[in-house]
Amino acid sequence: MKRRIAIICGGDSSEYAVSMRSGEGLFSFFDKEKYDVRIVELRHGRWMVHLADERAEIDLNDFSYSHLGEKCGFDYAYITVHGSPGENGIMQGYFDLIGMPYSTGSVLVEALTFDKFALNNHLRAFGISVADSVLVRKGEPRAADEEIIARIGLPCFVKPAADGSSYGVSKVKTAAQLPAAIDFAFKESDEVMIEQFLCGTEISQGVFRNGRDIIVLPATEVVTGNEFFDYDAKYNGQVEEITPARIAPDTANQAAAMTRKIYELLHCNGIIRIDYIITKDARGNDKINLLEVNTTPGMTATSFIPQQVRAAKLDIKDVLTAVVENSFK
């Protein structure tokens, strides 16, 4: 019998619409001859499986549903809920409790990668270059704006410590803009990062595991006329995406090695995407700096990962099959 796959999307974060588009993309990519695939939408605390003729509510006791008088279950959860609870370990904890294999890393991995400030400081200890940053928490005293700017410099980025799709992110150019930018980021997260601005070439690189092999995909270069790679650049076409990236071969090899290292260090699972910015060091050599690790990357037809899979001359259907079958070996 075919394995039954639940593509879980939706959620209540600002990334709901993006997640639904990823769910639809994944549904179109999966091998329907090998898998029985269903979209499960999470919204306002309800989990609803999309069927041809109706929506059926999921019984969270065992992640099953009833259809035409029959109880139906799933064998595997492909998580593409961007933001909470799909990217921060909450959903992973639930599936661990009921014994359902899933597509992402463990509870610890997801919680760590969702918190940008904690992740950066963790990976810095392993020699990964990251921008300097300061963390502020809602309702707690923080350093004076002048002290923050003296350390981080201008311009700088203010961003939610736990969020995605560039929601709540501001590029701050003057000291007077900092308080409003922090308040804007607090709308998305109770913790906010003020991060040093790095000027350079932005790239994004996908990676996944196929059995014992870690497969690093060609990097995508991100070129936008916007102030940064914001929501409009990501989802409204205000960007040029070049795959493979126009970077020196040695730099491409270094980025691929760093991507593999981070995947192994974090004990990741499934397909992840790592974003970098390439700057120049004091000698004029390329320096690769980590921006963030995305463990549930966008999966529409035009998203980075499908682009990179095509550039690697792979079939996205086969990549997804490898990701699923890794859990059953």
Side-chain angles (χ1 to χ4, degrees), residues 86-321:
E87 277 187 292
N88 58 1
I90 294 174
M91 189 176 291
Q92 289 76 11
Y94 162 69
F95 284 120
D96 283 343
L97 285 171
I98 65 169
M100 174 86 71
Y102 49 84
S103 58
T104 70
S106 67
V107 171
L108 176 60
V109 171
E110 296 304 303
L112 180 59
T113 54
F114 193 63
D115 188 320
K116 298 179 181 71
F117 186 80
L119 177 69
N120 285 2
N121 284 282
H122 175 70
L123 289 178
R124 185 184 283 115
F126 293 95
I128 304 298
S129 177
V130 297
D132 191 18
S133 60
V134 171
L135 185 72
V136 297
R137 293 186 173 93
K138 185 180 289 187
E140 294 186 7
R142 68 171 188 255
D145 293 351
E146 295 78 10
E147 293 178 31
I148 294 173
I149 291 169
R151 172 173 167 178
I152 301 299
L154 289 172
C156 64
F157 281 108
V158 177
K159 60 180 70 174
D163 203 21
S165 292
S166 298
Y167 286 107
V169 179
S170 302
K171 184 177 181 180
V172 171
K173 298 180 180 180
T174 68
Q177 295 173 337
L178 185 60
I182 293 173
D183 289 342
F184 181 53
F186 273 141
K187 293 179 180 179
E188 299 293 333
S189 173
D190 288 341
E191 295 187 336
V192 168
M193 284 175 64
I194 299 117
E195 188 174 53
Q196 178 188 20
F197 170 71
L198 298 177
C199 182
T201 300
E202 186 167 345
I203 64 170
S204 186
Q205 188 156 47
V207 55
F208 68 99
R209 185 184 295 277
N210 185 355
R212 295 183 177 179
D213 298 325
I214 294 175
I215 311 299
V216 179
L217 298 171
T220 297
E221 181 181 350
V222 181
V223 182
T224 178
N226 297 5
E227 285 284 1
F228 60 96
F229 191 37
D230 59 10
Y231 183 90
D232 284 332
K234 288 181 178 178
Y235 302 112
N236 294 328
Q238 298 175 15
V239 67
E240 184 180 5
E241 300 165 2
I242 302 164
T243 309
R246 301 170 300 181
I247 54 179
D250 284 350
T251 303
N253 290 336
Q254 290 174 36
M258 186 177 293
T259 297
R260 181 177 285 104
K261 178 180 179 179
I262 291 171
Y263 195 95
E264 291 177 326
L265 280 172
L266 296 176
H267 298 285
C268 291
N269 181 47
I271 304 169
I272 74 168
R273 195 192 76 229
I274 305 180
D275 299 338
Y276 303 101
I277 190 156
I278 302 170
T279 59
K280 296 291 185 181
D281 65 16
R283 297 181 179 180
N285 299 315
D286 284 345
K287 181 180 180 181
I288 302 169
N289 308 274
L290 172 70
L291 290 179
E292 68 174 293
V293 175
N294 189 328
T295 60
T296 59
M299 291 295 285
T300 69
T302 58
S303 294
F304 288 152
I305 295 298
Q307 289 183 48
Q308 294 172 12
V309 168
R310 290 192 294 270
K313 301 189 183 324
L314 300 174
D315 190 326
I316 189 67
K317 177 176 63 177
D318 296 333
V319 171
L320 291 174
T321 296

